[in-house]
Each structure stands twice: as structure tokens, then as C-alpha cells.
């Protein structure tokens, strides 16, 4: 009965959306019948007047003139209701057909209320919270006149040299897919025409995270097997969640730049995945196909539109060459019509044809940077922190302790927001020192010294200072700074050393070959350890750093990423135990750069690592294992896993079983734990990863409390893309692992009949 009702409802919903689609199609068909070729091509042009922070090296010219003559479909870098209105007015008063502009921006981790960098957010493993972060970002961005967010970035990334690992959700396709879905649903809500929601844009399609050598914009080459099983899932999850737009990536895939790859954009995305929305290029990525040596601007623009790419970001290759290509029959009118329709559909869904000023409401400025949004930023930041070490319960700090707060990032505002905080104002962020002072009410027990520069390397500093002063090299000598720090350390009970990367040492075009702490800070830490005082290292970074050799002397290590506008308060919350840390790594921390890529789902190889066997897969000079594995993270309490049970040890095709485990909070404080389910396939027709994350639950347990956690395992969960790229589950043996991270698990055997 229930099922019947459900299917009747589904048919009704499908009927309504069919009718809505028909209405939209008719509207657009009528509109397009009035458009000239130039106006259609104009809709494909997305440009930036460069009024905001530059996000690429080219800035568009004569933007105003182009808008008036119908040569622009959308703008980005124009933020704020008044500025957006000015631009929309140009179209509405001067252009022939008055087709409203759409306004995009890199709303990546919050808008003006900046949340932690996405890599940090992903370590919360809390999809409800992550979704809410996108809801709030959309609310603030739309109050600022925007209706299109270039987010989420879902590139699987296993090479921390690549600076853009900061923008994604780490190394794992399952976790990445859950987060991709949460972000899309958060941004878009259930009504794109609402003034509080905007178009999401999943990026960078595809495989950008696998750039060779971790060098940005570099080439990518991988087997389809690896693509399908390890890299594509998060993009697909975003498409399945209804993402309205997709951004093509800079890299090539199988020798074809993504922006010109018909296989990627049309065969896979539109045909196989049934993506119905608009595809936009990345910043001048069509033009850059010429650098990839695919031909001149006319040739590559023709290739891109024929491949299925609808909107050209900044490069204006479409604007300047498509007409000629049409005349020379290098593109068809149908290509241009398709692309134009996709852009117009996006605008239609936003409700811009009903009201071009829908997102322009200066009265909504009160919805930006509200106390509630800041409170949310503080909460999500504290959930993103990962406690990597805590010896002798050094943390949480006790209020009576005399704390020496030391480090170049300890009293800093410039580096709290992290990369891609396009609309965030660093000056509004809370430094760690302020957070700790507020936490301890008075600062009687707190003394501060900078101790070292973020780096003494002036060239590196210069590169990190492109968007403003992030690395401020002190006028004092390094020795004088160190002496001051050691003096306060010696007269303290505990040292809190706040060290790490400046914001712009990660992010776009910020690859690093040495991903250690800069030498100045290493020196500081070693000197602090020598004082014999317990040292708590609070580590800011946009990537997993190589910490080998840097943290051995530390009593505690708290990884806090770049934590956003409320960084200092959130860090103090965790240091003083107001919040018990619960973050788990979404990306492995390498032992050394030489191991990269290092990730938990590596294959076992034909000669699995064996210390007793010379001829096995290993290094002579370092372990195979990362320093901290995926899924890892400590708490101020201790969780015990016991009594793992499967409801059956055999599974029939199409059937399901449950795995249950008891998790007990054995400590004396309440805490949250992320219980992780991994599946290991013991026999497969293609080589499987050692194990794969297939489920997780974050639960809150009071001190002493136990909970039985249940995972449903069905055949779908055991499937993979086989050698013929068919999605199959193969009979045979599996191990069902449950544990607190990818390394420390217990398992039960399961057979698939
Ligand atoms: C280039 C980046 O790759 C992309 O992520 C971003 O959205 C665009 N620039 C626009 O700023």
C-alpha cells in the first residue's frame, strides 16, 4: 500500500517537473527565436571586470560596452548588491533583449563568514553540518547579489604537494561523494528560484587532483579502471544530487584537455550520467588548449563547443571565433544553440526571467556576518580539528596553567581564513591569542612571543604575499625573536606553539616540493622542546605536511588547518576542553615526500610488503605507512570497539546483511567518535584496493556510555567497475572491517554467493 502510494507520488512529481520543463523549453525556444547569432554567442561569454580579488592572470576589457551590446552572459568577481545592480541595470536598460546576467563567484568555504578550508571541513565527517555550511554560504552570497557558486570542488587528491588539496575533501571517493552531495543540496536547496539558494558548480571535471608531481595545471594520465573506481565518484555524486553546473578542469585526460574532451563532457557526463545542466570552462582553459598544442584559438574554441562545453570563462575564444567557425562549417548552429540553451536554462531556473533583480536586495545585507553565522563558523571549525597526538593528557589545558603562547601564527589575523576566501576579510578573523584570552577571561596566565617568522625565506614570503601581507618578516633578528620566546617558555607551565603555513602557501598555484614546516619554525620548535616544558603544537596548514622530525618532541599536536573567521575562538574551545576534538583525517599525512602518493586504499601488489623478504614492495629507508593514516584522529576520551557481529556470514545477490559493533566511551568526558566501515575484497578479477571506506557514523557518547552501531551491507556496496567497465559484484570472500581509522580495525569474514 505504502509502496503504491509512493510510486503514485513519484509519477505525480515527475509529471509536475515534466510540465515545468515543457514550460521552460517553450519559453527558451521563443526567446532564442528572437536572438541573433551574436546574441547567442554573447550568452556563452562569462567575464570578470576584475573588481574583486584576481583569480587568474587575464582580466576582461570593455566589460560595460560588451554588456550593453548583449555580448555577455554572466559576470564573476562582481560582488555586493549595489555593484551587481549596476551591472544588471546595464543589461536591462541598454541591451536589445534584456536577458539578465548571472553572477558567479568562488564561494568556497562560506562567504563573508568564512568557514574552515574545505579539507578541514571534510575532517568533521559530519555531512549534516557540511550541508548547513553550504546553506549559510548560499544565504550570505545571495544577500550579496550572487546566484552562482563555483563550488564544490570534489577532486580526489592524494598528493599533498598539490596546493589545491586545501579546496577538496581529501583522498577518498566514498567520503568525497557524501560531501559532494551534501554541498550541492546545501547550496541549491529544493528551489533554485528561491532568493536564498544559488547554482552550485561541481569542479574540476575531471581528475584535476591527479596532476603529475603535484604541480598545478599539470597533465593527468590514468587508466579508466582507476578513474572509474577511484576518481569519478564524487563528481557523479554531485550530478546525482542535481548539481546545476559543472566546471571543466585545466588538465588533459588521456591526452585531451578536459575542456575539449567530448568523451568527458558529452559521452560520460551528459549521456552516461544524464547531466542536464550547463558546463562552464575554467578560467581561460579553452584558450590554454593552445598551450596544450591543440591548435589556435579558433580551433580549440570549436573543439570545446563541439565537445559539449557551454560557457567560456574569461577567455572570449567563443566570442571572438565562433561566428567564423560557423561560417567555415567548423561548428554547427546546433552546437551554439545547445550551449545557449544551457545558459538560458540556468538563468530560467534561478528565476531571473521572472525577476532579474531577485538576488539584488540591499536590505538583505543584515543577513551577512550575523552572530549566528559566526557561531556556526566557530562550531564547524572546532569539529574540523584533528588531534594527532596527546601524551600524558597534556590537553585540555587547565585554566590555572601559565601558558606561553608562541609562534608566528599565534597572534595573526592574516592567515586564519585560508586560501580561496575571496569575500572574507582577514581583519575580521579572531587570532588564537584573542580566542585564548577570551576563554580564560583575563590574560593573567598568558604570555606571548612570536618566536620566529613564518619563513625567513624572502622569496617564499613574496610568493605568499600576492593577495596581501601574509608573511611579515620581523625587523628583529631570528636569534632575538627566539630568545624572547625561550624566556617566556621557561617561566610557563606549558607552551602552546602555533605554527604552520601561511594562507597562500596552499591553494591554487601553490604547489610545494618540500612540504615541511619552514626552517625558521622547525628551529623554533626544536628550541622549545629543549626547555623541557610540555609543548602543544597547534598546526595550521592547507595540506598534510610532512611532520617527521618536527613533532617528536611535542606532547600534543592539534591539526587545525586554516580554520576561518572564528579560528581563534574555536582553537581555544578545543585547547581548553570546552569542545572535545572529534575530527578524523580525510587525507593521509606522509612520512616523507618520497612516499607520495600515499593513501590507505593502495593496492597490495604481487609482492606485499614483508620486512623479512628483501624482494617485497617497500623502501629501504622509510616505512610504507604514512605518519598518520586516513580516518585517524584522537579525542580527550578513549573509545573502545567490541563485539563486531555480522547478521549473516553469507550474502545472496540482491540481499543485505547488517554489521554491528559496540562502541564505548571509556574515558571520563563526553565525546564524539566517527565509526568507520571498510570492505576488503579478497578475490576480484581486477586488483582491488587494500580496503575501501563504505560507511561511517558520527556519534556522540557520554562518558561511560555505549552504543551499538549498525551498518547495512548490500550487494551494491560490494560492487566495482570491472575490466569492461561494468558495475558488478563478484562472488567470493570479503572482510568487513570496522574501526576508528583506516589502520586500526577489526573484521569479520563475509561471503557473497
Ligand atoms: C580558476 C580555478 O581553477 C577555479 O577553481 C575557479 O573557480 C576559477 N579560477 C574562477 O576564479
Amino acid at each position: 500500500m505504502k509502496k503504491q502510494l509512493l510510486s503514485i507520488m513519484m509519477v505525480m512529481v515527475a509529471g509536475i517537473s515534466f510540465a515545468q520543463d515543457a514550460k521552460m523549453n517553450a519559453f527558451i525556444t521563443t526567446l532564442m527565436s528572437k536572438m541573433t547569432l551574436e546574441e547567442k554567442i554573447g550568452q556563452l561569454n562569462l567575464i570578470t571586470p576584475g573588481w574583486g580579488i584576481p583569480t587568474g592572470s587575464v582580466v576582461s576589457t570593455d566589460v560595460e560596452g560588451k554588456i550593453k551590446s548583449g555580448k555577455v552572459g554572466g559576470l564573476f568577481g562582481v560582488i555586493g548588491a549595489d555593484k551587481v545592480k549596476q551591472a544588471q541595470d546595464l543589461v536591462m536598460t541598454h541591451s536589445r533583449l534584456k536577458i539578465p546576467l548571472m553572477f558567479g563567484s568562488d564561494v568556497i568555504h562560506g562567504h563573508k563568514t568564512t568557514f574552515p578550508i574545505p579539507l578541514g571541513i571534510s575532517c568533521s565527517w559530519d555531512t549534516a553540518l557540511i550541508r548547513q555550511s553550504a546553506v549559510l554560504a548560499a544565504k550570505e552570497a545571495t544577500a550579496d547579489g550572487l546566484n552562482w557558486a563555483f563550488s564544490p570542488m570534489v577532486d580526489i587528491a592524494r598528493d599533498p604537494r598539490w596546493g589545491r588539496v586545501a579546496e577538496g575533501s581529501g583522498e577518498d571517493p566514498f567520503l568525497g561523494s557524501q560531501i559532494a552531495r551534501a554541498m550541492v543540496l546545501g547550496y541549491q536547496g529544493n528551489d533554485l528560484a528561491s532568493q536564498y539558494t544559488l547554482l552550485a558548480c561541481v569542479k574540476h571535471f575531471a581528475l584535476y587532483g591527479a596532476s603529475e608531481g603535484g604541480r598545478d595545471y599539470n597533465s593527468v594520465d590514468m587508466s579508466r579502471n582507476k578513474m572509474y573506481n577511484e576518481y569519478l565518484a564524487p563528481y557523479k555524486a554531485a550530478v546525482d544530487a542535481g548539481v546545476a553546473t559543472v566546471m571543466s578542469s585545466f588538465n588533459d585526460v588521456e591526452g585531451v584537455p578536459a575542456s575539449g574532451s567530448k568523451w568527458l563532457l558529452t559521452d560520460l557526463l551528459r549521456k552516461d550520467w544524464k547531466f542536464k545542466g550547463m558546463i562552464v570552462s575554467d578560467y581561460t582553459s579553452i584558450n590554454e588548449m593552445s598551450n596544450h598544442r591543440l591548435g589556435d584559438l579558433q580551433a580549440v574554441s570549436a573543439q570545446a563547443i563541439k565537445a559539449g562545453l557551454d560557457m567560456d570563462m574569461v577567455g572570449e575564444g567563443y566570442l571572438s571565433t565562433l561566428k567564423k567557425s560557423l561560417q567555415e562549417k567548423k561548428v554547427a548552429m546546433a552546437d551554439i544553440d545547445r550551449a545557449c540553451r544551457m545558459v538560458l536554462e540556468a538563468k530560467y531556473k534561478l528565476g531571473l526571467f521572472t525577476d532579474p533583480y531577485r538576488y539584488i536586495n540591499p536590505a538583505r545585507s543584515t543577513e551577512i556576518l550575523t552572530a549566528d553565522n559566526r557561531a556556526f563558523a566557530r562550531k564547524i571549525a572546532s569539529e574540523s580539528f584533528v588531534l594527532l597526538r596527546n601524551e600524558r593528557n597534556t590537553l585540555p589545558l587547565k585554566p590555572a596553567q601559565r601558558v606561553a603562547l608562541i609562534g608566528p601564527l599565534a597572534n595573526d589575523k592574516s592567515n586564519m581564513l585560508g586560501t580561496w576566501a575571496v569575500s572574507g576579510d582577514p581583519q575580521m578573523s579572531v587570532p588564537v591569542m584573542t580566542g585564548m584570552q577570551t576563554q580564560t577571561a583575563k590574560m593573567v596566565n598568558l604570555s606571548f612571543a612570536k618566536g620566529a617568522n613564518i619563513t625567513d625565506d624572502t622569496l617564499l614570503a613574496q610568493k605568499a604575499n600576492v593577495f596581501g601581507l601574509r608573511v611579515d618578516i620581523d625587523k628583529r633578528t631570528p636569534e632575538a625573536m627566539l630568545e624572547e620566546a625561550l624566556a617566556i617558555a621557561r617561566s610557563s607551565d606549558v607552551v602552546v606553539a602555533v605554527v604552520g603555513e601561511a594562507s597562500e602557501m596552499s591553494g591554487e598555484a601553490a604547489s610545494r616540493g618540500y612540504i615541511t614546516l619552514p626552517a625558521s619554525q622547525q628551529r623554533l620548535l626544536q628550541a622549545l622542546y629543549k626547555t623541557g616544558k610540555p609543548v602543544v603544537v597547534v598546526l595550521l596548514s592547507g595540506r598534510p605536511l610532512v611532520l617527521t622530525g618536527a613533532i617528536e618532541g611535542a606532547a600534543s599536536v592539534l591539526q587545525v588547518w586554516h580554520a576561518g573567521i572564528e579560528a581563534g575562538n574555536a582553537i581555544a574551545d578545543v585547547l581548553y576542553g570546552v569542545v572535545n576534538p572529534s575530527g578524523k583525517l580525510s587525507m593521509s599525512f606522509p612520512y616523507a615526500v618520497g612516499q607520495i602518493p600515499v593513501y590507505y586504499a593502495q593496492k597490495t601488489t604481487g609482492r606485499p610488503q614483508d620486512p623479512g623478504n628483501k624482494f617485497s614492495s617497500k623502501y629501504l629507508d622509510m616505512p610504507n605507512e604514512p605518519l598518520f593514516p586516513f580516518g585517524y584522529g584522537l579525542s580527550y576520551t578513549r573509545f573502545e570497539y567490541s563485539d563486531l557481529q555480522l547478521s549473516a556470514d553469507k550474502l545472496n545477490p540482491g540481499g543485505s546483511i547488517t554489521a554491528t559493533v559496540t562502541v564505548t566511551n571509556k574515558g571520563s568526558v563526553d565525546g564524539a567518535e566517527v565509526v568507520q566501515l571498510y570492505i576488503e575484497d579478497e578475490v576480484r578479477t581486477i586488483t582491488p584496493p587494500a580496503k575501501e571506506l563504505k560507511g561511517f557514523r558520527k556519534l556522540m557518547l557520554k562518558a561511560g556510555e555505549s552504543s551499538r552501531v549498525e551498518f547495512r551491507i548490500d550487494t551494491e556496496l560490494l560492487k566495482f567497475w570491472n575490466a569492461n567497465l561494468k558495475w558488478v559484484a563478484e562472488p567470493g570472500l570479503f572482510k568487513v572491517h570496522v574501526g576508528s581509522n583506516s589502520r586500526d580495525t577489526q573484521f569479520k569474514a563475509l561471503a557473497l554467493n
Side-chain angles (χ1 to χ4, degrees):
M1 187 61 194
K2 250 190 185 164
K3 260 194 178 161
Q4 239 173 7
L5 209 66
L6 199 72
S7 45
I8 294 174
M9 275 168 63
M10 276 164 68
V11 171
M12 279 168 59
V13 171
I16 294 170
S17 78
F18 184 75
Q20 280 170 347
D21 282 358
K23 205 169 148 208
M24 173 176 77
N25 292 343
F27 175 87
I28 292 174
T29 304
T30 310
L31 176 58
M32 283 177 63
S33 71
K34 297 179 198 149
M35 293 171 79
T36 62
L37 173 64
E38 286 78 5
E39 282 164 337
K40 287 179 180 173
I41 294 173
Q43 284 304 305
L44 317 184
N45 199 26
L46 172 66
I47 53 179
T48 173
W51 293 344
I53 288 185
T55 60
S57 53
V58 182
V59 172
S60 323
T61 55
D62 187 25
V63 175
E64 192 172 323
K66 283 176 188 152
I67 294 176
K68 287 182 180 167
S69 54
K71 291 196 177 111
V72 181
L75 287 180
F76 84 99
V78 178
I79 304 172
D82 47 340
K83 286 189 188 152
V84 170
K85 179 167 182 312
Q86 269 174 40
Q88 198 71 301
D89 280 346
L90 291 176
V91 178
M92 301 319 286
T93 29
H94 298 281
S95 74
R96 193 179 75 92
L97 289 173
K98 307 192 187 332
I99 299 174
L101 295 168
M102 55 202 284
F103 294 87
S105 177
D106 289 287
V107 177
I108 308 290
H109 44 117
H111 180 58
K112 290 207 167 123
T113 307
T114 312
F115 304 138
I117 54 167
L119 185 62
I121 288 185
S122 71
C123 292
S124 72
W125 295 53
D126 186 335
T127 48
L129 199 71
I130 294 172
R131 179 169 171 165
Q132 184 60 12
S133 79
V135 169
L136 296 181
K139 210 169 159 204
E140 281 201 358
T142 51
D144 231 0
L146 299 169
N147 44 39
W148 187 15
F150 301 146
S151 168
M153 186 279 216
V154 304
D155 304 320
I156 294 295
R158 295 168 169 182
D159 189 334
R161 290 173 297 182
W162 191 50
R164 302 198 79 170
V165 301
E167 291 174 56
S169 298
E171 73 184 46
D172 185 66
F174 185 88
L175 178 62
S177 298
Q178 305 288 319
I179 293 176
R181 180 181 163 76
M183 293 293 289
V184 170
L185 296 177
Y187 285 133
Q188 298 193 166
N190 12 349
D191 177 15
L192 269 176
S194 151
Q195 58 170 332
Y196 297 107
T197 59
L198 38 62
L199 307 169
C201 180
V202 69
K203 68 190 190 184
H204 306 83
F205 194 65
L207 318 181
Y208 184 28
S211 281
E212 249 177 46
R215 249 184 340 275
D216 211 356
Y217 317 121
N218 206 357
S219 204
V220 170
D221 201 2
M222 71 170 71
S223 66
R224 293 251 169 139
N225 175 334
K226 199 171 183 75
M227 267 185 224
Y228 275 71
N229 283 306
E230 300 175 34
Y231 278 80
L232 291 177
Y235 308 106
K236 171 77 162 47
V239 170
D240 290 345
V243 74
T245 71
V246 171
M247 188 186 294
S248 65
S249 56
F250 286 121
N251 55 282
D252 57 338
V253 171
E254 295 183 328
V256 184
S259 301
S261 169
K262 181 168 176 299
W263 175 72
L264 262 184
L265 305 185
T266 297
D267 299 348
L268 183 67
L269 184 57
R270 289 203 200 278
K271 291 194 181 142
D272 284 5
W273 294 1
K274 317 240 173 322
F275 173 64
K276 300 267 182 297
M278 180 186 95
I279 305 175
V280 62
S281 76
D282 203 343
Y283 205 114
T284 60
S285 68
I286 298 177
N287 313 53
E288 289 165 27
M289 286 166 64
S290 295
N291 288 343
H292 281 283
R293 312 229 174 146
L294 267 84
D296 64 11
L297 187 59
Q298 184 186 353
V300 296
S301 301
Q303 179 171 342
I305 199 160
K306 283 193 295 182
L309 197 150
D310 304 314
M311 203 172 200
D312 175 2
M313 189 192 286
V314 182
E316 303 205 316
Y318 279 5
L319 194 74
S320 58
T321 68
L322 279 186
K323 190 174 175 186
K324 187 161 181 262
S325 291
L326 184 70
Q327 285 158 354
E328 293 170 1
K329 300 208 173 358
K330 290 186 173 133
V331 302
M333 195 57 220
D335 296 318
I336 297 171
D337 278 344
R338 179 219 68 231
C340 178
R341 181 173 286 274
M342 289 298 145
V343 176
L344 296 176
E345 279 188 9
K347 295 181 179 183
Y348 184 96
K349 288 177 194 156
L350 286 170
L352 290 174
F353 289 112
T354 319
D355 178 7
Y357 295 93
R358 179 174 301 243
Y359 300 88
I360 305 171
N361 181 356
R364 285 191 58 203
S365 63
T366 52
E367 293 170 25
I368 296 173
L369 275 169
T370 59
D372 281 355
N373 288 4
R374 288 195 75 133
F376 179 84
R378 181 170 179 165
K379 179 174 167 49
I380 195 167
S382 63
E383 284 215 27
S384 72
F385 302 161
V386 186
L387 184 63
L388 296 175
R389 167 184 299 188
N390 194 20
E391 282 172 6
R392 301 179 301 280
N393 294 329
T394 307
L395 287 179
L397 302 173
K398 287 81 202 152
Q401 278 173 318
R402 288 168 305 160
V403 177
L405 181 63
I406 294 173
L409 291 161
N411 189 21
D412 170 283
K413 284 188 172 192
S414 315
N415 295 289
M416 296 301 108
L417 303 187
T419 183
W420 278 121
V422 171
S423 297
D425 176 0
Q427 288 317 311
M428 303 209 56
S429 66
V430 181
V432 180
M433 181 148 96
T434 310
M436 291 187 65
Q437 285 169 345
T438 318
Q439 198 72 232
T440 52
K442 319 242 169 324
M443 60 173 300
V444 271
N445 288 332
L446 198 69
S447 47
F448 162 75
K450 186 171 169 186
N453 294 311
I454 292 177
T455 175
D456 294 332
D457 175 347
T458 47
L459 202 61
L460 181 59
Q462 203 185 331
K463 289 177 186 161
N465 287 339
V466 277
F467 299 142
L469 191 64
R470 305 280 188 262
V471 180
D472 184 10
I473 297 192
D474 213 278
K475 299 210 169 45
R476 293 170 292 171
T477 63
E479 292 70 28
M481 290 166 78
L482 187 60
E483 267 322 306
E484 182 195 26
L486 292 176
I488 68 159
R490 286 189 198 107
S491 56
S492 71
D493 299 318
V494 58
V495 175
V496 173
V498 189
V499 295
E501 291 188 306
S503 282
E504 305 310 328
M505 283 168 72
S506 56
E508 186 174 347
S511 298
R512 294 180 63 201
Y514 301 106
I515 52 170
T516 47
L517 276 174
S520 54
Q521 301 188 61
Q522 303 250 25
R523 221 179 304 124
L524 171 66
L525 287 183
Q526 298 306 334
L528 292 173
Y529 300 150
K530 281 200 194 120
T531 63
K533 301 289 178 179
V535 178
V536 173
V537 173
V538 175
L539 198 62
L540 279 76
S541 68
R543 53 158 63 80
L545 293 174
V546 166
L547 299 174
T548 310
I551 56 163
E552 283 75 0
S556 304
V557 181
L558 184 68
Q559 171 70 37
V560 299
W561 313 107
H562 291 120
I565 192 162
E566 286 288 324
N569 284 328
I571 290 169
D573 284 342
V574 171
L575 291 180
Y576 280 99
V578 177
V579 174
N580 187 352
S582 59
K584 300 275 189 172
L585 296 179
S586 60
M587 197 171 172
S588 307
F589 271 51
Y591 183 92
V593 166
Q595 289 183 323
I596 294 172
V598 61
Y599 51 99
Y600 83 93
Q602 269 170 342
K603 298 189 173 185
T604 50
T605 83
R607 294 185 175 192
Q609 178 183 201
D610 172 1
N613 177 0
K614 172 168 175 59
F615 300 101
S616 69
S617 178
K618 59 182 183 302
Y619 298 104
L620 290 179
D621 52 358
M622 67 177 80
N624 280 8
E625 290 69 33
L627 192 60
F628 298 108
F630 175 83
Y632 181 82
L634 303 171
S635 161
Y636 294 156
T637 188
R638 196 170 57 77
F639 296 100
E640 189 185 87
Y641 286 67
S642 59
D643 196 21
L644 171 62
Q645 300 285 350
L646 300 187
S647 60
D649 57 8
K650 289 195 180 58
L651 182 59
N652 288 320
S656 74
I657 62 146
T658 53
T660 39
V661 69
T662 301
V663 183
T664 307
N665 180 344
K666 289 293 225 184
S668 55
V669 290
D670 304 349
E673 168 71 335
V674 179
V675 183
Q676 300 160 40
L677 170 80
Y678 295 88
I679 293 191
E680 181 181 345
D681 194 345
E682 295 213 65
V683 188
R684 215 183 239 192
T685 48
I686 60 168
T687 54
K691 52 167 107 83
E692 294 169 280
L693 182 74
K694 291 290 178 182
F696 59 89
R697 301 260 189 291
K698 187 163 185 172
L699 61 147
M700 187 71 195
L701 289 176
K702 296 212 170 321
E705 194 187 352
S706 281
S707 177
R708 201 80 188 129
V709 180
E710 186 174 295
F711 293 101
R712 182 173 181 275
I713 299 172
D714 59 14
T715 350
E716 202 55 27
L717 224 52
L718 307 180
K719 286 187 178 169
F720 65 98
W721 297 96
N722 72 7
N724 302 318
L725 297 181
K726 294 268 172 308
W727 181 239
V728 297
E730 291 175 345
L733 287 179
F734 295 82
K735 282 182 183 147
V736 175
H737 294 257
V738 175
S740 64
N741 64 65
S742 60
R743 184 190 60 202
D744 304 316
T745 60
Q746 32 187 296
F747 70 87
K748 286 271 184 224
L750 173 68
L752 176 65
N753 290 324

